[in-house]
Amino acid sequence: MPEGEARVMTRQFLYVDGVEIEVCFNTNGKHFVRHNVYWWIMHGSKNPDPRYNNLVKNLQDAVDRLPTIKWSGYRFRCETIVFSEDDVEVESILLPLGMFEDFIRELISCTCKGNPQSGK
């Protein structure tokens, strides 16, 4: 996708154990979760500032904590996304659904071991 061009996607909201998860679909049928969902689960903040909260660095650190090399080299970048069903345009970082699942599994694993990453 050319730099600066908006990505058209659709989205669906799922509720898992009382948590609203926004799953986005691109035209190739790939599934993503926007970074703000993960950030909200980890830090209780729904709209982190990309610069102030150092999102790219924090997401890369989260990838580095995963016990797999599967996501090594993945590049996080802010993109403009337009949701086709309601023409809402947002700036966001997209996490592949599998990566989001790995993040949540790692969070649960650390929390169960008595070492919560979020400090909660």
Side-chain angles (χ1 to χ4, degrees):
M1 186 172 86
E3 186 75 26
E5 189 174 309
R7 181 188 296 231
V8 177
M9 301 187 90
T10 57
R11 63 182 169 176
Q12 181 176 2
F13 293 93
L14 307 172
Y15 295 87
V16 181
D17 292 335
V19 177
E20 181 181 63
I21 308 293
E22 178 186 29
V23 180
C24 305
F25 310 85
N26 69 9
T27 55
N28 295 334
K30 294 185 180 177
H31 301 78
F32 299 90
V33 175
R34 290 178 50 218
H35 75 279
N36 60 325
V37 174
Y38 173 70
W39 198 265
W40 179 68
I41 291 169
M42 287 294 293
H43 303 286
S45 171
K46 291 183 182 181
N47 293 307
D49 180 87
R51 288 182 186 87
Y52 177 77
N53 294 113
N54 212 357
L55 289 182
V56 171
K57 172 86 169 93
N58 280 305
L59 289 170
Q60 189 58 52
D61 289 348
V63 165
D64 291 344
R65 285 191 301 268
L66 293 176
T68 176
I69 62 167
K70 180 170 141 181
W71 302 109
S72 180
Y74 187 86
R75 276 188 52 213
F76 296 102
R77 64 181 183 268
C78 278
E79 299 182 58
T80 301
I81 303 164
V82 176
F83 294 113
S84 59
E85 55 273 333
D86 51 13
D87 284 333
V88 170
E89 186 174 305
V90 296
E91 284 286 321
S92 191
I93 297 173
L94 296 173
L95 307 176
L97 182 59
M99 179 186 286
F100 175 76
E101 292 170 341
D102 287 349
F103 282 167
I104 298 304
R105 272 193 283 279
E106 182 65 13
L107 173 65
I108 291 168
S109 172
C110 286
T111 302
C112 289
K113 293 177 187 173
N115 184 20
Q117 296 172 359
S118 66
K120 294 180 181 178

